[in-house]
Amino acid sequence: MTPIVSIFKNPPDGGRGFHRDMRVRWALEEVGQPYQLRLLAFSDMRRPEYRALHPFGQMPTYEDGDLVLFESGAIVHHIAHTYPGLLPLDPNARSRAVMWMFAALNTIEPCMSSGNADYLSVRLAQLSTRLGNADWLDGDFGAADLLMVTVLRALHGADILERFPNLQRYVERGEARPAFRRALAPSTTIMQTA
């Protein structure tokens, strides 16, 4: 089966990839898994048939046969465990990668929406120190970097990211990946709403 990912028909960001469905599309592109896009309007997200897929009526959803998932982090986690390429084979390295996936979504992302610039600055400084001069968080690029880059991308144009040049370069490295570029301008099959 070809997975189906729901996305906005008319994304509020103008298609610049700042919505959470980008994480899912990027992960699928990284592992080379074909997928289809289901384009939805905001009104479609309130329909009972969509709420059956996502009880909170948000984006994205992921459908693969009889498996339906919501929450971008859970979907990326599933993709990373289902297809080779986003998680290391070594058990300890794999556990550290999952740890960084959670850190991106549970430590860094909430700081960005908290409205507390000082708190965010502290967390970014800690992340910057940990990253140092490395290209990626823990070895080769993987699911943890994919999630962290998509979280940090929300700071584009904000002065705070410019204070941490290594984090800015980290985001740029992620955005330069061919799979990211393909996900940003997908050439996958488009499905209209049912």
Side-chain angles (χ1 to χ4, degrees), residues 1 3-6 38 48-56 58 60-72 74-75 78:
M1 291 238 31
I4 301 168
V5 179
S6 62
R38 176 173 287 130
E49 54 270 23
Y50 188 73
R51 290 293 175 102
L53 301 175
H54 195 312
F56 306 113
Q58 298 175 314
T61 59
Y62 173 93
E63 301 165 68
D64 191 6
D66 61 355
L67 175 66
V68 177
L69 297 173
F70 60 90
E71 292 296 330
S72 62
I75 298 168
H78 167 76

Side-chain angles (χ1 to χ4, degrees), residues 23-93:
R23 299 167 180 175
V24 176
R25 291 182 286 144
W26 186 7
L28 289 166
E29 292 289 349
E30 285 285 350
V31 299
Q33 172 59 46
Y35 57 99
Q36 294 181 316
L37 298 176
R38 176 173 287 130
L39 304 179
L40 298 173
F42 282 101
S43 60
D44 296 322
M45 295 163 51
R46 292 190 294 269
R47 297 170 75 188
E49 54 270 23
Y50 188 73
R51 290 293 175 102
L53 301 175
H54 195 312
F56 306 113
Q58 298 175 314
M59 295 283 184
T61 59
Y62 173 93
E63 301 165 68
D64 191 6
D66 61 355
L67 175 66
V68 177
L69 297 173
F70 60 90
E71 292 296 330
S72 62
I75 298 168
V76 169
H77 186 267
H78 167 76
I79 293 167
H81 279 87
T82 303
Y83 305 100
L86 287 175
L87 288 175
L89 297 177
D90 174 74
N92 289 345

Side-chain angles (χ1 to χ4, degrees), residues 124-141:
L124 291 178
Q126 293 165 334
L127 178 62
S128 175
T129 298
R130 174 58 176 81
L131 181 64
N133 292 323
D135 285 342
W136 307 113
L137 290 170
D138 191 36
D140 294 333
F141 174 87

Side-chain angles (χ1 to χ4, degrees), residues 134-190:
D135 285 342
W136 307 113
L137 290 170
D138 191 36
D140 294 333
F141 174 87
D145 298 295
L146 185 150
L147 289 175
M148 190 67 79
V149 167
T150 59
V151 165
L152 294 175
R153 285 187 79 233
L155 296 174
H156 267 298
D159 294 340
I160 194 163
L161 191 59
E162 293 174 4
R163 289 188 244 159
F164 304 99
N166 67 331
L167 294 183
Q168 199 166 15
R169 289 189 303 273
Y170 172 69
V171 171
E172 290 166 359
R173 276 191 297 280
E175 292 175 329
R177 292 183 65 80
F180 176 88
R181 306 308 304 164
R182 288 191 304 271
L184 194 57
S187 60
T188 58
T189 304
I190 305 289

Side-chain angles (χ1 to χ4, degrees), residues 2-13:
T2 301
I4 301 168
V5 179
S6 62
I7 68 169
F8 289 110
K9 183 185 291 186
N10 298 306
D13 70 355

